[in-house]
Amino acid sequence: MDSEGIFEGLNDEQRRAVEAVRGPVCILAGAGSGKTTTITRRIANQVATETFRPDQILAVTFTDKAAGEMRARLGRLGVSGVAARTFHSAALAQLHHFGPGRVGQILASKALLLRQIGNTLPAPYKFRPAGDLATEIEWAKNRRLTPETYQRELGDHQPPIPADLAYCVFYEYEQRKEGAGAVDFEDLLELAIRLYDEDETALMTFRDRYRAFTVDEYQDVNILQQTLLERWLGASDELCAVGDDYQSIYGFTGASPEHLLGLPQRFPHAQVIRLEQNYRSTPQILELANRLVPRLGGSEKVLRATRPDGPAPELAVCADPDAQCDALVARARALRERGIAYEEMAILFRLNSRSAELESALAEADIPFQGASLLARDAARGLVKVLRRRGIEPAATAVPAAAAQQGWVEQPQSGLGEREQTRQNDLAFLVRLAEAFEDGEADVLAFLAMLEARFGSRGDDRRGIHLLTYHRAKGLEFDAVFLPRLEDKELPARQAKTPAALAEERRLLYVGLTRARHHLLVTWAGKPSPFLAELGVEAPSPRRAPEPDDPMYAALKAWRLERSKSDDVPAYVVFHNSTLEEIATRGPRSLSELATVPGVGPTKIERYGPDVLAVLAAR
């Protein structure tokens, strides 16, 4: 093994972490700070210094992909034999080794069983997505709750259905699962804990085999995983915990950053190392993201840029959601013309249901996209299935009727689970589409054809702008990131009512901001998110329409007259008076802000945008 290669290219913070081959070590790794490089080099150094043999090291990740990447990087450093696994795969391997017969059939998904149980619920709840019920059961089991302890341990947590019904679903799920001789993924961890609690020989054999542990993404550890880790460790302190409390966004699974932040209290002699040099984003993007740091609490990390300067992030108010979509389309086209591939752009949103309006806008603009599909989600799949049986009825009446059969209500109740909220929003979107489709005259078959044309598969699913929720974007990065709908009740989400929930929503925004390498656009159309004030952004006050002798309006009219003469077209072809009035009223400072003005579409942005901004800047 090349020991020089282990330290090649490391900064001082990373080097200190790699040199700390004995635990306990707490690495607080900021976004884009080279976390994976650091921990793989540290493991390699543990082997190179003969502190531990490769087969004595267990590295735990949260995804199989991350485990594979860690093994590949270690292999390139000349290290083989290190076990890199997820919590669940490690627990399964240990159960097979020490307790054959303890594991039955593993459920690939809870959905089928929970859909059957959900269909027995009272009418207002029987259409709730099985995914929401599964999330609730996982929330409970990740806290080591049982059906018997579930209701008294709810605290301020709100289930997606009334607590007594949620208990019934949980109880029935466990009964049916056990009756079938099956286990789920949470059971694997619980069974491993019980194995070690009941079999001291197995526990001692395991601890003799594995002497050093590295846990990646430690901010996402829940009580169930932490309990298993404590069984593995025993009295040992050979733990390297790596994570970023600022990116702890999985509270709905039971995860808590307190396990990461509390490590120095559990191990007072622990080395705490902060990785704050950021290799991803420009100084301008980091300066904006760092404005949230005083309110993020925890480990007090302030990211420092290593990349050169870039353009300032753009923050723009839009007249309405349609104008917001127009602004995103215009900005994406402008960046594409500057050589940035659509695949290097991402639009992030809080709820899956928000992808529908974006899919529609991008499809109409003939811009490819990937990562979202209205037609693949619960609402559209159920609705389409019903509509195919309705034939040639008018879509404007058939779609609302079919949506009602699927449990759609025009005013969704509060406290819905995220998937049910998405389903209700999708149903409402489909009803609006049907009502507007060809003035309500077209039939169901034509409506279904339109849905397929606008929202169906477009061939290569790896091409185009990424449409992602904030959660799915974690761990990814893009040249350009767009964050629309930074609005109250959107981010933070409507259901975020406790201080802990609001703190997690703030961390979601931080994750979104730090996905961007070079370009960042933040927009809103409704009531501004309170997080905008935390970013130091004041929502612009409405302005009165300009008087005819307003200097800005007069300057724009003079420019329009000159441009219309040079182009040999009537003045109104350049811009209508009403559009010039709105531009003068708003005073946009960027192409993205200009694109939000009614009457300013992508073509006019390309043709006149820079000139208009120059006129405004000169006043």
Side-chain angles (χ1 to χ4, degrees):
M1 185 191 310
D2 180 7
S3 59
E4 289 186 5
I6 291 175
F7 292 95
E8 182 180 359
L10 298 181
N11 62 43
D12 291 343
E13 299 163 346
Q14 293 170 329
R15 176 177 285 271
R16 184 180 161 214
V18 171
E19 289 174 340
V21 292
R22 301 303 300 250
V25 177
C26 178
I27 302 177
L28 299 169
S33 63
K35 168 178 65 75
T36 305
T37 295
T38 302
I39 58 176
T40 52
R41 301 282 188 93
R42 180 182 182 271
I43 292 171
N45 200 34
Q46 287 180 306
V47 175
T49 57
E50 299 184 350
T51 307
F52 298 100
R53 299 193 313 268
D55 63 355
Q56 293 178 316
I57 300 172
L58 175 57
V60 183
T61 67
F62 269 77
T63 65
D64 290 325
K65 180 180 178 182
E69 173 66 17
M70 184 174 289
R71 288 191 294 268
R73 292 197 186 201
L74 287 170
R76 291 194 289 271
L77 292 168
V79 178
S80 61
V82 171
R85 290 175 167 165
T86 66
F87 271 105
H88 295 94
S89 65
L92 180 60
Q94 292 160 35
L95 287 166
H96 282 323
H97 183 77
F98 292 117
R102 283 180 177 253
V103 180
Q105 173 194 357
I106 301 174
L107 292 177
S109 168
K110 299 178 179 69
L112 179 60
L113 191 53
L114 286 172
R115 192 170 293 119
Q116 296 169 356
I117 297 170
N119 287 341
T120 68
L121 292 174
Y125 308 107
K126 69 185 303 180
F127 291 103
R128 295 294 167 88
D132 275 343
L133 303 178
T135 295
E136 183 64 13
I137 288 175
E138 289 161 9
W139 177 90
K141 297 184 77 164
N142 284 332
R143 288 168 170 78
R144 304 194 73 195
L145 302 181
T146 65
E148 291 70 31
T149 62
Y150 169 74
Q151 284 186 278
R152 68 171 178 263
E153 297 292 338
L154 278 174
D156 57 13
H157 172 71
Q158 278 194 322
I161 57 177
D164 58 338
L165 290 179
Y167 156 76
C168 293
V169 170
F170 190 5
Y171 177 84
E172 185 66 19
Y173 168 78
E174 290 295 309
Q175 292 295 308
R176 294 195 188 190
K177 173 173 61 68
E178 292 171 14
V183 296
D184 58 28
F185 287 109
E186 291 73 37
D187 291 333
L188 295 179
L189 306 189
E190 189 64 52
L191 288 170
I193 293 167
R194 293 180 193 171
L195 166 69
Y196 292 132
D197 287 347
E198 297 166 3
D199 189 339
E200 187 172 356
T201 300
L203 182 60
M204 292 302 103
T205 302
F206 176 84
R207 289 177 180 170
D208 185 61
R209 164 73 185 276
Y210 290 107
R211 303 294 183 88
F213 300 87
T214 296
V215 182
D216 192 12
E217 303 287 4
Y218 199 65
Q219 79 279 351
D220 294 330
V221 165
N222 57 47
I223 292 173
L224 186 58
Q225 293 160 335
Q226 177 66 22
T227 303
L228 179 57
L229 177 62
E230 289 169 358
R231 298 298 188 275
W232 290 346
L233 279 169
S236 171
D237 61 3
E238 289 296 345
L239 171 65
C240 176
V242 189
D244 182 6
D245 53 304
Y246 292 175
Q247 298 187 70
S248 179
I249 57 174
Y250 294 105
F252 60 88
T253 70
S256 169
E258 296 310 312
H259 299 299
L260 174 67
L261 297 174
L263 190 139
Q265 284 70 52
R266 297 197 302 277
F267 301 102
H269 57 299
Q271 295 187 66
V272 179
I273 301 166
R274 288 175 169 79
L275 305 185
E276 297 176 295
Q277 287 196 46
N278 176 281
Y279 295 93
R280 175 185 300 157
S281 305
T282 63
Q284 288 75 12
I285 290 171
L286 293 185
E287 191 277 330
L288 182 67
N290 282 335
R291 295 179 192 177
L292 290 177
V293 166
R295 294 174 176 86
L296 292 174
S299 58
E300 298 181 5
K301 297 180 300 300
V302 178
L303 297 177
R304 305 188 305 273
T306 61
R307 294 191 61 183
D309 282 343
E314 297 181 56
L315 299 103
V317 62
C318 301
D320 52 46
D322 289 341
Q324 197 160 205
C325 287
D326 290 343
L328 297 178
V329 166
R331 190 71 178 115
R333 280 179 165 164
L335 290 174
R336 181 68 188 89
E337 289 181 358
R338 292 169 58 180
I340 299 176
Y342 285 133
E343 290 75 22
E344 288 298 330
M345 304 180 200
I347 304 175
L348 309 188
F349 36 85
R350 178 62 180 86
L351 294 173
N352 264 314
S353 59
R354 295 307 183 201
S355 75
E357 61 194 32
L358 297 167
E359 291 177 62
S360 181
L362 293 172
E364 288 182 4
D366 201 26
I367 294 176
F369 57 88
Q370 57 181 306
S373 174
L374 170 68
L375 296 185
R377 293 197 294 271
D378 292 338
R381 286 192 290 113
L383 195 70
V384 168
K385 185 176 180 180
V386 172
L387 290 175
R388 290 198 187 283
R389 298 196 295 264
R390 300 185 78 106
I392 58 173
E393 297 179 47
T397 55
V399 173
Q405 289 180 31
Q406 298 296 304
W408 173 60
V409 291
E410 292 192 35
Q411 297 296 328
Q413 311 119 317
S414 61
L416 297 178
E418 189 159 316
R419 288 179 177 85
E420 177 60 11
Q421 186 175 344
T422 294
R423 195 178 76 90
Q424 289 288 341
N425 289 345
D426 280 351
L427 286 171
F429 179 81
L430 289 162
V431 169
R432 290 196 303 272
L433 277 182
E435 291 172 344
F437 182 52
E438 294 189 10
D439 297 322
E441 297 298 323
D443 62 27
V444 165
L445 295 179
F447 178 73
L448 292 175
M450 179 275 291
L451 287 183
E452 182 59 36
R454 186 180 295 186
F455 300 102
S457 173
R458 298 181 180 279
D460 188 349
D461 292 333
R462 296 166 298 178
R463 290 187 62 248
I465 296 177
H466 297 263
L467 300 183
L468 300 166
T469 62
Y470 282 81
H471 286 97
R472 288 186 60 206
K474 184 176 177 291
L476 304 177
E477 58 184 70
F478 307 91
D479 281 347
V481 171
F482 309 142
L483 305 180
R485 286 187 174 269
L486 196 56
E487 300 157 14
D488 193 33
K489 310 304 182 187
E490 188 82 20
L491 187 67
R494 184 182 305 276
Q495 61 266 37
K497 298 178 180 178
T498 66
L502 287 170
E504 184 157 313
E505 295 291 304
R506 183 181 291 110
R507 294 194 292 269
L508 270 175
L509 174 57
Y510 180 83
V511 166
L513 295 170
T514 54
R515 298 310 92 196
R517 297 189 193 108
H518 200 69
H519 300 277
L520 178 64
L521 171 63
V522 179
T523 62
W524 64 99
K527 181 180 178 182
S529 166
F531 296 153
L532 280 167
E534 297 179 8
L535 289 172
V537 178
E538 292 186 13
S541 302
R543 303 182 193 176
R544 292 180 300 173
E547 299 296 329
D549 59 349
D550 177 81
M552 187 73 76
Y553 181 50
L556 287 168
K557 286 187 70 176
W559 164 80
R560 181 185 64 176
L561 179 60
E562 184 178 340
R563 183 61 186 261
S564 66
K565 288 179 178 178
S566 67
D567 290 354
D568 195 24
V569 295
Y572 70 83
V573 171
V574 179
F575 285 118
H576 285 283
N577 284 343
S578 59
T579 304
L580 288 187
E581 289 174 1
E582 191 66 18
I583 294 171
T585 298
R586 298 189 184 195
R589 295 164 294 177
S590 67
L591 292 177
S592 298
E593 290 184 10
L594 181 60
T596 67
V597 176
V600 182
T603 300
K604 292 187 185 264
I605 282 286
E606 295 173 13
R607 189 172 297 165
Y608 309 122
D611 288 353
V612 171
L613 294 181
V615 172
L616 296 173
R619 301 304 303 173

